[in-house]
Structure formats: C-alpha cells, structure tokens
Amino acid sequence: MSKDIYRVAIIGTGVIGASWAALFLAKGLNVVATDIAPDAKAKLEAFIEAAWPALEKLGLAPGASRSRLEFTANLDEAVTGSDFVQENGPERLDFK
C-alpha cells in the first residue's frame, strides 16, 4: 500500500523539526508546521532562510520553494489534510 505525499505536517519546530521542514520544502512538498512556543514561527523561518543556500547547492527538487511553508499554532489545523506527520517533540511520555 502506498500513497503519494504532497503535504507534510511538522509537529515541533526546534532544531530537528526545523531540519525536517527544510528538507521537505527542498523536496518540493507543502509543509505546515506547528509549535506552541511563542517565537516558533520566527525561529523556523530564520532556520530555513539560513539553510536554504546549502540546500540549493545540494540540488532542489522541481517546485521546491520556501513559500510552500505554512505555520499554525493549532495542532488540528496542522494535521488536517496532511499526507504525512513528522512529530519532533521532546522524548517525554506526557508530551507524546
């Protein structure tokens, strides 16, 4: 069983989540990210901006664009309509 992936939800946008988001964007996917930290959106955008030149050197997939990134503080919004969910929260049972 397989399904094409077009939209990825990123839950948690620390270093690991931001890295996944950058990779998925470089592969030409739509990414919707969510994180409860008040400054998460700005930090994620800054991370991707800094990483993008290196990703360009490695080679971007057709359609790859930073403009494919969305951010929402609402977890339900992030996962609704997503084909794949990448969870990057802390390794704590109460969080998972």
Side-chain angles (χ1 to χ4, degrees):
M1 183 166 116
S2 67
K3 179 181 177 183
D4 290 334
I5 297 173
Y6 300 101
R7 178 181 161 106
V8 176
I10 301 287
I11 302 172
T13 60
V15 174
I16 293 171
S19 298
W20 279 115
L23 175 66
F24 291 137
L25 290 169
K27 295 298 182 183
L29 300 173
N30 296 315
V31 174
V32 59
T34 187
D35 195 306
I36 59 171
D39 57 350
K41 180 180 180 194
K43 285 185 176 180
L44 174 61
E45 289 171 346
F47 182 96
I48 291 172
E49 181 75 24
W52 204 254
L55 293 166
E56 288 177 319
K57 285 181 185 177
L58 291 170
L60 299 175
S65 173
R66 290 172 282 180
S67 68
R68 291 180 173 260
L69 177 66
E70 295 176 46
F71 188 92
T72 178
N74 184 296
L75 177 62
D76 289 335
E77 273 182 37
V79 299
T80 299
S82 293
D83 303 306
F84 182 81
V85 176
Q86 175 64 50
E87 179 271 318
N88 310 286
E91 296 303 323
R92 293 189 347 241
L93 190 56
D94 61 322
F95 180 85
K96 303 281 182 183

